Amino acid sequence: MRHYEGISLGNSIAIEVQELTKRYGELIAVNGISFTVNRGEIFAFLGPNGAGKTTTVEILECLRRPTSGKAYVLGFDITKHQPEIKKRTGVLPQDFYTYERLTVKETIQYYAGMFDSRPDVDELIRLVDLEDKKNVLFRNLSGGLKQRLGIAVALVNDPELVFLDEPSSGLDPKARHGVWHLIDGLHKKGKTVFLTTHYMEEAEILADRVGIIHNGRIVALDSPERLISEHGKRNLLILKKTSPKAVPNIEKLGIKANYDKTTSDVTVHLNHAVAVSEILHTLSNTDIPFGELQLKRSSLEDVFLNLTGVSLGEEESGI
């Protein structure tokens, strides 16, 4: 357990943030947020561009100074012990970029020299699955391969904590899943991972806990499962090409249903699993046909919409 300026962080806590605020004139980019990140977990900030994700991470990486509030990374005060924090953390910024004429291997060696560390370069290359690309110039790599190399660079000092800022942004689905697999591998190696993302699926699949951030504030923080259970719309039953007569018959069961005149679909918010069989039994008894039945599980997208009133796609870009 480390002690600095009267602050004690137990071995289970990697990051502690207390009422952190960052202002740019009249703009409040981060608005009095508080949270902790546990050692060994993948923690995700989920929110749109401009929500305050990157600003928060750059403060924790000692790249920006907060306007007010406190933050401790691995037991060190971000305003007083920056060299100690930088020694122990790895960083993948948005859109990782480096010297175009360096090969994959040369890039890792170059950054290792900057940190005065002696990593096993070949092992890092194997870890990010770039063995067949180690002599390829950076400029000739695809976006997904560049991100993998960026993660290798973030690991040259064998950090306890790794910051990954939008690691799969702009990648195609195959490359994105490759990056996800790599992040999961870091987790299995015991690294603490702080991930920022605007991809709900990414947060839901990877993160042990998710902080949903909106307009500089954390509006919810918990495991994906608990967030969905508490704030989601629960599961949806969609009856395709159905008569509007289905709605009053379903609502006799005490279950809310909606009819879409455009698609002729009936959408039902399910309160419990038995509701599906009850609904089908009711429709069968009343001779109301439907074309197809779909079940849709509630997701973090529903949670975000429920908590903020907007979808991620409707948010404005910003800091």
XYZ file of all heavy atoms in Angstrom, residues 74 86 234:
28
model
N -2.119 4.465 -9.826
C -1.217 3.494 -9.196
C -0.635 4.053 -7.897
O 0.509 3.794 -7.535
C -0.100 3.087 -10.164
C -0.584 2.460 -11.476
C 0.580 2.261 -12.433
C -1.298 1.135 -11.225
N 4.293 7.801 -15.555
C 4.645 7.496 -16.938
C 5.507 6.243 -17.049
O 5.447 5.534 -18.060
C 5.349 8.705 -17.567
C 4.401 9.879 -17.787
C 5.106 11.085 -18.388
C 4.131 12.229 -18.610
N 4.779 13.428 -19.194
N -35.198 -3.904 -21.217
C -35.422 -5.339 -21.140
C -35.533 -5.920 -22.549
O -35.277 -5.251 -23.534
C -36.643 -5.652 -20.281
C -36.518 -5.057 -18.864
C -37.663 -5.452 -17.968
N -37.503 -4.851 -16.660
C -38.383 -4.997 -15.674
N -39.482 -5.700 -15.863
N -38.160 -4.436 -14.507
